[in-house]
Amino acid sequence: MTDTAHPLVARARRLADELLLPEAGRVDQEGVPASHVEAVKRSGLLGVVAPVAYGGSGAPPAVLRETAEILAGACCSTWFVQTQHHTPVQTLAQSELPVRERLLGPLSRGELLSGVAYAHLRSYPRVPVRVRREGDGWRFDGAVPWYTGWGLNDVMLLAGVTDAGEVLFAFTEARDQPGLRASPPMRLTALTASRTVSLELDGLRVPEEAVARRLPYEQWAPGDRARTLNVGPAVFGIAQAALSLLDEEFADPLRARLRDVRRRAYALADTPQSPARTEERLAVRAQAYEVLGQATTAAVVAGGGRAMALTGRAQRLAREGLFLLVQGQTAQTRRAHLRALAGQPVPRT
């Protein structure tokens, strides 16, 4: 479903065909290797939407989406590790604080890989990670339930909530250090290879000059909720990969449905957020997951007993599809998806 002729799309396709797809089965069982991360760094894909002035490509969102589809369809674990990087880049690009000049260039050029630790903010008013002023810096305490890319990332963008109800984002090194300890890697049904851990924070100190963003939770949350309403491009990448395992007789009808929901999903993603279209976004999101499930199920059916082998691509894609059902999930999207599965109308909001 190539939409653009951008050089980074061709580069992503080459990386997928020559490295990620041939190694995906082994990676699924053994973990994303550092050599994969180095290949992604060299490709320039970490700077796809980064400012040109800082060494990035400054490409439009459509290019980021298409390269994500390609990488996810080839090796979802590698895609998931590198996709964390784009949020720190975009955060710094919009920041006016000193950390921008220190890190935006290295992150845009792919010299450093960043992870993120902020999804726990969606639990508010429960506060898993508390931030307090300490001297001329900040102290983080609490627990981060999920952190992806441990041992592969160079830095992380860590978030917490202050006693005043502000969210604070700051960078720190992605390694065990005083006040920060990682769990052993989690064993997951899918994407165990992504080296996902939990983090224990017990007095982690971060200097003021590492802060990238600070604002009231009530100002941050609406933008985050709006982003979760959109369909992630990995959904379409995995579905397309699954359909490639079918005979055209069976793939074509599903491919037509996939093209239609993809077109509508991306049109909504390019439309300014409006409460009036929330119901539509949630409905399209549910439809995309429905096609994803049909595509991965069809791939398993077509593969027969061979699809149950851990070396089988169909079962891996099906497991990755299950992961995408909950990746970036919020209470709102969960309820809407369950209503769609139960045949109930999505409520107007």
Side-chain angles (χ1 to χ4, degrees):
M1 292 186 182
T2 298
D3 293 329
T4 72
H6 195 282
L8 284 178
V9 172
R11 209 171 298 172
R13 180 68 66 191
R14 185 163 59 249
L15 179 66
D17 290 345
E18 296 178 1
L19 176 64
L20 301 187
L21 183 55
E23 294 289 319
R26 181 179 65 83
V27 167
D28 179 59
Q29 296 301 308
E30 300 178 10
V32 175
S35 57
H36 273 40
V37 171
E38 291 304 313
V40 173
K41 286 180 173 180
R42 290 193 303 269
S43 71
L45 291 168
L46 293 180
V48 57
V49 293
V52 174
Y54 287 82
S57 295
V63 174
L64 177 62
R65 291 193 296 249
E66 192 163 354
T67 56
E69 288 183 11
I70 293 168
L71 297 184
C75 179
C76 197
S77 294
T78 300
W79 162 79
F80 193 52
V81 169
Q82 66 83 44
T83 199
Q84 317 292 319
H85 181 89
H86 301 296
T87 295
V89 168
Q90 292 167 328
T91 300
L92 286 174
Q94 298 166 6
S95 177
E96 297 180 355
L97 297 175
V99 70
R100 170 188 172 116
E101 298 307 313
R102 179 167 65 87
L103 286 179
L104 184 53
L107 293 177
S108 299
R109 296 188 294 269
E111 296 165 8
L112 297 175
L113 178 69
S114 181
V116 293
Y118 76 91
H120 51 274
L121 294 179
R122 296 170 184 150
S123 301
Y124 193 83
R126 188 170 65 85
V127 180
V129 176
R130 178 76 62 182
V131 187
R132 295 181 175 88
R133 173 68 76 174
E134 187 172 89
D136 59 352
W138 297 89
R139 173 187 172 120
F140 285 77
D141 290 282
V144 175
W146 304 91
Y147 179 81
T148 294
W150 188 256
L152 297 171
N153 295 324
D154 302 294
V155 296
M156 74 168 77
L157 181 62
L158 172 65
V161 179
T162 71
D163 291 337
E166 294 179 309
V167 292
L168 185 144
F169 291 79
F171 283 91
T172 189
E173 293 185 23
R175 60 174 178 81
D176 281 327
Q177 54 182 296
L180 189 160
R181 184 174 62 184
S183 73
M186 297 180 185
R187 295 293 299 172
L188 305 171
T189 302
L191 275 69
T192 286
S194 65
R195 303 199 195 186
T196 295
V197 299
S198 60
L199 301 176
E200 179 183 342
L201 305 171
D202 184 14
L204 173 68
R205 193 177 185 282
V206 176
E208 179 67 37
E209 56 267 26
V211 174
R213 195 178 187 197
R214 179 183 170 193
L215 72 166
Y217 180 87
E218 289 76 14
Q219 291 182 22
W220 173 82
D224 178 69
R225 284 195 294 267
R227 283 188 294 273
T228 64
L229 298 178
N230 292 323
V231 185
V235 171
F236 302 116
I238 296 295
Q240 291 172 49
L243 293 180
S244 73
L245 302 181
L246 301 179
D247 292 339
E248 293 306 305
E249 173 189 1
F250 306 111
D252 283 348
L254 286 170
R255 192 170 286 123
R257 296 181 60 189
L258 182 65
R259 279 196 298 266
D260 175 65
V261 72
R262 178 180 182 266
R263 175 188 56 78
R264 290 185 286 122
Y266 287 168
L268 285 168
D270 290 334
T271 302
Q273 298 288 344
S274 167
R277 305 196 73 174
T278 295
E279 180 182 1
E280 182 181 3
R281 292 178 192 276
L282 289 169
V284 169
R285 193 177 190 272
Q287 291 164 19
Y289 285 129
E290 180 182 14
V291 178
L292 170 66
Q294 291 171 336
T296 55
T297 299
V300 171
V301 171
R306 297 186 304 276
M308 291 297 98
L310 286 177
T311 54
R313 189 181 179 197
Q315 59 80 29
R316 175 172 57 79
L317 291 170
R319 288 187 289 109
E320 292 166 352
L322 290 176
F323 172 82
L324 295 179
L325 294 180
V326 299
Q327 189 251 332
Q329 186 186 64
T330 66
Q332 182 184 28
T333 58
R334 180 187 301 113
R335 285 195 300 270
H337 194 178
L338 288 172
R339 284 180 175 275
L341 291 170
Q344 300 173 1
V346 176
R348 295 186 180 275
T349 57

